[in-house]
């Protein structure tokens, strides 16, 4: 089932009643609407005067809804997630923790190959020459020890957004749109990881003592070009400010089509397919991840 993403950018009062998310505007609290929690996948809390009850937060966590809290600039800043989301979580976590370096490096190789292939496909789709990236995705070594992912990224962004473009999180314009889109993607990736019984704190490549979600940063990589495509379309239309409408378009990337072995699935569903395949890789049932391709 395709889950809904709810964005609250006005002062709201959010509560729980009969497993329904009850929402009301602060200036008209008696006028209420309800949404079944089972229909929701992501809740994005943007406005700083939004009120949320603790029973609602618990119900959202129990139903594996990813709650994303934004800072006063409207950028995703924190997440709430369930600690008990999968009835096989103990076994899954033991397999994840026991994963050896050889398998981690092989899985990361697959992730990098898929990411660069998708970058090449996006370049082709916007009239650029995706073949400039072919030497990179056809020669990825185990663990990507020679950093083909990083080298390819620099070439890719300059072809996509122009020779003068530099990917820098602290720069305005296109970079801000990318930051926002990637934050939404990261939250959805965390939700899929936790729903599969995996621990997002244990990555296969990314690792940093201050990063609580390295596995999400690993698995979202092949999905990033789907965000890039939305940002490219926005930039071509002259939309490089993070307005409400622009945010809406970036959030809708979760519903864009991804291709899995000639079967199209919405991106949010594709994330679950990828994390489910990782569980099987950790348990030695599979040797390859199920990763998305651009349609």
């Amino acid at each position: 089932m395709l889950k809904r993403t709810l964005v609250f950018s006005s002062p709201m009062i959010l509560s729980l009643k009969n497993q329904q998310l009850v929402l009301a505007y602060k200036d008209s609290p008696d006028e209420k609407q309800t949404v079944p929690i089972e229909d929701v996948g992501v809740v994005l809390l943007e406005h700083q005067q939004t009120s949320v009850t603790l029973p609602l937060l618990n119900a959202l966590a129990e139903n594996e809804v990813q709650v994303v809290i934004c800072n006063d600039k409207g950028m995703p800043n924190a997440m709430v997630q369930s600690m008990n989301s999968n009835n096989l979580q103990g076994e899954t976590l033991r397999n994840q923790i026991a994963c050896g370096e050889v398998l981690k490096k092989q899985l990361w190789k697959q992730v990098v190959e898929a990411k660069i292939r998708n970058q090449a496909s996006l370049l082709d789709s916007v009239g650029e020459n995706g073949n400039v990236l072919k030497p990179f995705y056809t020669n990825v070594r185990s663990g990507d020890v020679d950093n083909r992912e990083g080298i390819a990224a620099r070439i890719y962004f300059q072809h996509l957004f122009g020779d003068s473009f530099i990917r820098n999180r602290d720069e305005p314009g296109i970079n801000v749109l990318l930051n926002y889109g990637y934050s939404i993607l990261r939250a959805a990736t965390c939700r899929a990881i936790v729903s599969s019984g995996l621990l997002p704190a244990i990555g296969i490549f990314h690792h940093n003592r201050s990063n609580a979600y390295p596995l999400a940063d690993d698995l979202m990589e092949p999905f990033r070009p789907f965000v890039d495509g939305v940002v490219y379309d926005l930039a071509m239309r002259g939309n490089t400010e993070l307005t409400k409408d622009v945010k809406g378009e970036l959030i809708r990337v979760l519903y864009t089509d991804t291709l899995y072995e000639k079967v199209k699935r919405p991106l949010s569903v594709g994330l679950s397919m990828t994390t489910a395949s990782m569980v099987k890789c950790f348990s030695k049932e599979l040797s390859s991840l199920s990763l998305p391709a651009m349609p």
Side-chain angles (χ1 to χ4, degrees):
M1 175 182 173
L2 189 59
K3 301 285 188 176
R4 296 174 63 181
T5 297
L6 303 181
V7 182
F8 297 102
S9 54
S10 301
M12 304 290 294
I13 301 171
L14 307 179
S15 59
L16 176 71
K17 185 176 181 180
N18 299 327
Q19 286 301 298
Q20 302 272 316
L21 190 160
V22 182
L23 54 101
Y25 288 97
K26 283 196 171 183
D27 56 2
S28 54
D30 294 331
E31 298 178 14
K32 299 180 179 179
Q33 302 177 47
T34 60
V35 179
I37 288 180
E38 64 182 9
D39 294 346
V40 182
V42 178
V43 170
L44 189 66
L45 305 177
E46 281 194 347
H47 201 281
Q48 300 302 293
Q49 295 183 33
T50 300
S51 299
V52 188
T53 66
L54 189 57
L56 175 60
L57 286 176
N58 275 303
L60 292 171
E62 289 166 3
N63 284 271
E64 302 174 10
V65 179
Q66 193 72 50
V67 180
V68 182
I69 302 169
C70 294
N71 60 21
D72 57 4
K73 296 180 180 179
M75 294 299 294
N77 188 50
M79 290 185 279
V80 178
Q81 63 185 41
S82 172
M83 297 180 67
N84 299 287
S85 61
N86 188 289
N87 57 6
L88 296 176
Q89 189 169 30
E91 178 183 350
T92 300
L93 286 179
R94 285 191 291 274
N95 290 336
Q96 181 182 3
I97 292 169
C99 177
E101 288 301 314
V102 172
L103 178 56
K104 287 182 180 180
K105 289 180 178 180
Q106 284 299 315
L107 295 178
W108 180 242
K109 174 180 182 292
Q110 296 172 31
V111 167
V112 170
E113 286 175 343
K115 177 184 180 180
I116 302 175
R117 284 182 183 275
N118 285 341
Q119 290 174 328
S121 295
L122 179 58
L123 290 181
D124 285 335
S125 72
V126 300
E128 294 289 333
N129 181 14
N131 279 332
V132 297
L133 299 181
K134 188 173 182 179
F136 297 95
Y137 65 71
T138 56
N139 291 288
V140 181
R141 296 166 62 189
S142 178
D144 189 26
V145 293
D146 46 4
N147 191 29
R148 290 186 173 272
E149 183 233 356
I151 299 170
R154 287 193 292 272
I155 297 171
Y156 160 75
F157 276 123
Q158 289 182 345
H159 276 76
L160 187 62
F161 295 122
D163 292 340
S164 62
F165 178 80
I166 298 175
R167 173 66 183 131
N168 186 330
R169 290 180 55 87
D170 298 323
E171 291 294 321
I174 288 172
N175 275 292
V176 173
L177 272 58
L178 292 172
N179 293 346
Y180 189 86
Y182 293 157
S183 295
I184 298 301
L185 175 60
R186 191 177 193 234
T189 307
C190 279
R191 179 186 180 276
I193 287 169
V194 173
S195 297
S196 295
L198 296 166
L199 190 65
I202 303 176
I204 57 173
F205 175 77
H206 286 91
H207 59 278
N208 187 302
R209 63 186 302 175
S210 62
N211 182 2
Y213 307 111
L215 187 58
D217 294 333
D218 291 331
L219 290 184
M220 68 184 276
E221 293 292 354
F223 295 88
R224 284 180 185 263
F226 294 91
V227 174
D228 302 339
V230 175
V231 173
Y232 175 86
D233 289 340
L234 287 165
M236 290 300 101
R237 303 200 308 268
N239 297 318
T240 56
E241 298 292 328
L242 199 58
T243 64
K244 182 178 179 180
D245 289 340
V246 166
K247 287 181 179 180
E249 290 199 41
L250 289 168
I251 289 168
R252 283 194 288 275
V253 73
L254 299 180
Y255 308 106
T256 194
D257 283 337
T258 59
L259 188 62
Y260 282 80
E261 296 181 354
K262 299 182 181 181
V263 176
K264 288 184 180 179
R265 292 289 183 268
L267 187 145
S268 60
V269 176
L271 283 167
S272 295
M273 295 171 65
T274 293
T275 56
S277 71
M278 174 161 272
V279 170
K280 293 186 177 182
C281 287
F282 285 152
S283 66
K284 309 297 175 60
E285 297 175 60
L286 290 177
S287 59
S288 297
L289 291 168
S290 181
L291 294 167
M294 305 287 283

